[in-house]
Amino acid sequence: THTHTHTIYLQCVCKYKSLKSYIHQERSFVSAEVGSSVTLQCSYGTEAARYYWYKQSLGQKLQIISISYKFAESGTFHDEFKDNPRFSVENIDGKSQLSISDLKPSDTGTYFCASGISFVFEFGEGATVSVKNPVLENTAWVRQSESGAVQTGSSVTLNCTVQTGSCGGEHSVYWFRHSGESHPGLIYTHRGNSNECEKSQNTQTHTCMYDLPIKNLSKSHAGTYYCAVASCGQVLFGNGTKLDLESEAVSLSLVYFLSAALIFTVILSVLLAFTLHKMHKRNCLFCYQVHQDAGDLHYAAVNANQLSRSRRHRKSSECVYSAMTQ
């Protein structure tokens, strides 16, 4: 009996674990203007019994929007989303759509879909919605430092310049990182005020500068860093600064290659110098022997034309050698 119960338990665990492959929501970033509409998509597997939609504003905890059952065409809304005609959910054939109409700046945030079987939950990748107000775009903006490649182990400081607009007062600054291997994550929050900003003389706008220092860079720091500011009733996002980490292995390989090339060049130079020295020494020895022999031996070639002899022996050469001794 104990063995049988244990086997059933393992089968249930494997079934719940396989739920992770039955929900799909593409990670995306949607930019929309105030008053427009947006529709977010999510797909569920056949094992998902309940469908969920959540919202997460910058620096805030998750808020549940709606809960739907598998065969229900719409969902039940909760909290501030209840009886709000701007929000609607439609479920058809394992797919769920969350529609938001007449967008407001407060709708800015990341929207997650989720599925559940019993107590097991699985979340989608999340879709970030940024609602912009064209009226305030001319007075409020966020600019970030340019992207670039940096060496692992070094340090870098990311810059974010913010113009908060004429509303002034306090504002919140957020830094979060997005990489292909993980979800966008909030890494730093700062509460700004007018004391840290420069006020323009001609207008009521405030220009602020914020830095994000990162020391001892590693591969885990790679990604795109976004600066976001909550000000004037809206959240403004920068274009992002992408950090590309150059691997230490590549740099070390280059150092090893150049070192090996230098050693090879030195060895080759030594061998060539040794070979030239041997050739020069051999030539000098040959010249010395010829000089010595020339001092002791004289030779001459004597040509004799003997007309009296036969035509066959008309010409002949005789060498006469003489040696001089001291």
Side-chain angles (χ1 to χ4, degrees):
T1 304
H2 177 72
T3 304
H4 179 68
T5 304
H6 185 63
T7 302
I8 294 177
Y9 174 76
L10 289 178
Q11 289 176 350
C12 291
V13 170
C14 292
K15 188 174 183 179
Y16 289 150
K17 190 174 182 180
S18 64
L19 177 66
K20 291 187 177 182
S21 61
Y22 287 100
I23 183 172
H24 177 71
Q25 180 190 23
E26 290 186 359
R27 185 182 305 163
S28 59
F29 184 91
V30 181
S31 180
E33 294 186 355
V34 170
S36 62
S37 301
V38 67
T39 299
L40 308 178
Q41 307 281 346
C42 188
S43 301
Y44 298 90
T46 57
E47 294 190 11
R50 293 186 300 275
Y51 307 156
Y52 300 85
W53 280 100
Y54 288 89
K55 176 189 175 183
Q56 184 176 31
S57 301
L58 280 176
Q60 304 297 323
K61 64 181 181 180
L62 283 172
Q63 295 175 280
I64 186 167
I65 300 175
S66 68
I67 302 176
S68 305
Y69 289 92
K70 183 174 183 179
F71 299 104
E73 294 182 358
S74 61
T76 302
F77 291 86
H78 296 265
D79 300 331
E80 63 182 78
F81 306 99
K82 188 176 182 180
D83 299 327
N84 190 335
R86 298 193 303 111
F87 290 81
S88 62
V89 172
E90 184 179 5
N91 305 315
I92 301 176
D93 298 331
K95 295 182 179 180
S96 182
Q97 294 183 348
L98 172 64
S99 299
I100 310 174
S101 60
D102 190 18
L103 286 168
K104 301 181 182 301
S106 59
D107 294 327
T108 297
T110 303
Y111 293 80
F112 297 93
C113 64
S115 63
I117 296 178
S118 184
F119 57 86
V120 179
F121 283 80
E122 174 66 17
F123 282 83
E125 298 290 333
T128 300
V129 177
S130 174
V131 183
K132 297 183 178 181
N133 192 340
V135 178
L136 299 177
E137 282 295 305
N138 296 328
T139 58
W141 41 258
V142 178
R143 295 175 183 171
Q144 294 186 229
S145 53
E146 296 182 356
S147 304
V150 292
Q151 292 283 347
T152 55
S154 61
S155 300
V156 68
T157 299
L158 305 183
N159 305 114
C160 179
T161 304
V162 179
Q163 183 171 294
T164 60
S166 57
C167 59
E170 293 187 353
H171 57 274
S172 299
V173 181
Y174 304 90
W175 285 92
F176 61 95
R177 182 175 63 90
H178 171 70
S179 65
E181 299 178 355
S182 60
H183 301 287
L186 183 65
I187 59 177
Y188 182 74
T189 303
H190 178 74
R191 180 72 64 177
N193 53 64
S194 58
N195 295 330
E196 299 174 315
C197 307
E198 295 181 359
K199 184 178 179 180
S200 175
Q201 296 180 356
N202 299 327
T203 64
Q204 296 297 320
T205 59
H206 295 75
T207 303
C208 318
M209 296 187 65
Y210 300 97
D211 295 333
L212 179 65
I214 307 175
K215 300 180 179 180
N216 194 21
L217 289 166
S218 63
K219 291 183 179 180
S220 62
H221 292 105
T224 303
Y225 290 77
Y226 291 93
C227 176
V229 178
S231 177
C232 301
Q234 67 174 347
V235 179
L236 300 177
F237 288 85
N239 293 328
T241 301
K242 185 178 182 181
L243 291 184
D244 292 323
L245 273 297
E246 295 182 353
S247 176
E248 290 182 346
V250 175
S251 301
L252 290 176
S253 299
L254 182 61
V255 172
Y256 294 152
F257 174 78
L258 294 177
S259 300
L262 178 61
I263 294 174
F264 175 77
T265 304
V266 171
I267 294 175
L268 183 61
S269 301
V270 172
L271 290 176
L272 289 175
F274 179 76
T275 303
L276 291 175
H277 176 72
K278 293 282 290 184
M279 293 178 62
H280 179 70
K281 185 176 181 181
R282 184 181 301 172
N283 291 337
C284 289
L285 180 61
F286 175 77
C287 294
Y288 176 77
Q289 290 177 349
V290 171
H291 178 72
Q292 288 293 105
D293 293 343
D296 298 335
L297 180 65
H298 296 271
Y299 62 94
V302 179
N303 294 329
N305 296 329
Q306 298 180 0
L307 298 177
S308 60
R309 294 186 179 182
S310 62
R311 183 175 299 177
R312 185 182 54 174
H313 303 287
R314 182 173 297 177
K315 292 182 179 181
S316 65
S317 297
E318 293 183 0
C319 295
V320 178
Y321 296 90
S322 63
M324 297 180 64
T325 58
Q326 294 180 353

